[in-house]
Amino acid sequence: MSEWWKATISALAGVLVGLLAEPIRQRLTRYLDARRVREILWRDLSLIYVQFCVPNESGKWGGDVKELQSIIRYVPPDKFEYCYNTKREACYRLKGWMFVEVFYWDYTKIRQDILNNTISAEKSIREIRRAFVTARYSGPDGSLLAQVEEHFERRGIPRLAAEQYTVK
């Protein structure tokens, strides 16, 4: 009889530990997924920011249409699409997600116009910068877009102001 009690108590202890550990595992998984998504999108947004919002050595904001088309092929929104399609719950947990999503939809449309050659180089750069600035200033302070600007500001690259839509 004592052997039967030991097995029952051991099984109940295992069930109890499992019931207590499962919510912790789920919360940890959600946190780690959101962190991975944030890092992936942060790198992607940083690359877009550097390509279109930071002037080159000569102080210009972009080149001709051919140069812009080669850059735009190098910066596709596939990382956003991957995160959105596979880790949607983690995306929704990001601070300011709605504004990141709006930026990527705008960027995808502008990118398609550039590849179809239906928009000038200057206008496309202006539109990408405007999409970034609009999404950044509409979102919360600690959002992903704000973090990208803060990162580059610490490296001596000034933030884009709402007045800086024009290509210099």
Side-chain angles (χ1 to χ4, degrees):
M1 186 74 155
S2 66
E3 200 61 36
W4 184 80
W5 280 105
K6 287 180 188 176
T8 304
I9 291 173
S10 176
L12 286 175
V15 168
L16 185 63
V17 167
L19 288 174
L20 293 175
E22 185 62 21
I24 295 170
R25 185 193 64 79
Q26 288 176 354
R27 184 171 291 195
L28 184 64
T29 302
R30 281 194 301 261
Y31 168 77
L32 292 175
D33 283 348
R35 190 170 134 193
R36 271 188 232 112
V37 165
R38 183 172 31 90
E39 289 173 3
I40 289 169
L41 292 180
W42 189 87
R43 284 190 197 111
D44 199 37
L45 285 168
S46 296
L47 184 60
I48 292 169
Y49 190 83
V50 165
Q51 294 295 332
F52 300 105
C53 301
V54 176
N56 59 18
E57 297 83 29
S58 64
K60 293 186 178 179
W61 294 97
D64 60 354
V65 176
K66 296 279 187 212
E67 182 182 347
L68 190 62
Q69 285 177 340
S70 66
I71 290 171
I72 210 80
R73 282 190 183 93
Y74 178 66
V75 190
D78 58 349
K79 290 181 181 92
F80 165 76
E81 292 168 358
Y82 166 76
C83 291
Y84 187 73
N85 292 331
T86 61
K87 307 278 189 198
R88 195 166 296 189
E89 182 183 347
C91 291
Y92 291 144
R93 294 176 59 86
L94 293 176
K95 188 173 186 180
W97 166 251
M98 180 175 66
F99 303 101
V100 172
E101 186 178 24
V102 166
F103 169 77
Y104 270 108
W105 295 133
D106 287 346
Y107 176 72
T108 303
K109 183 192 173 304
I110 296 165
R111 182 178 186 275
Q112 195 59 43
D113 288 344
I114 292 168
L115 294 176
N116 292 339
N117 211 7
T118 59
I119 189 171
S120 70
E122 288 185 354
K123 185 175 181 187
S124 60
I125 291 173
R126 185 171 48 245
E127 289 298 314
I128 290 171
R129 292 177 70 207
R130 188 169 61 82
F132 198 98
V133 171
T134 304
R136 187 270 178 256
Y137 287 107
S138 301
D141 281 339
S143 73
L144 205 54
L145 295 160
Q147 290 173 16
V148 168
E149 279 195 334
E150 288 165 8
H151 170 77
F152 287 104
E153 189 176 40
R154 284 193 298 270
R155 281 154 180 75
I157 297 169
R159 286 179 187 233
L160 292 174
E163 310 83 51
Q164 291 181 308
Y165 293 158
T166 57
V167 177
K168 296 181 179 179

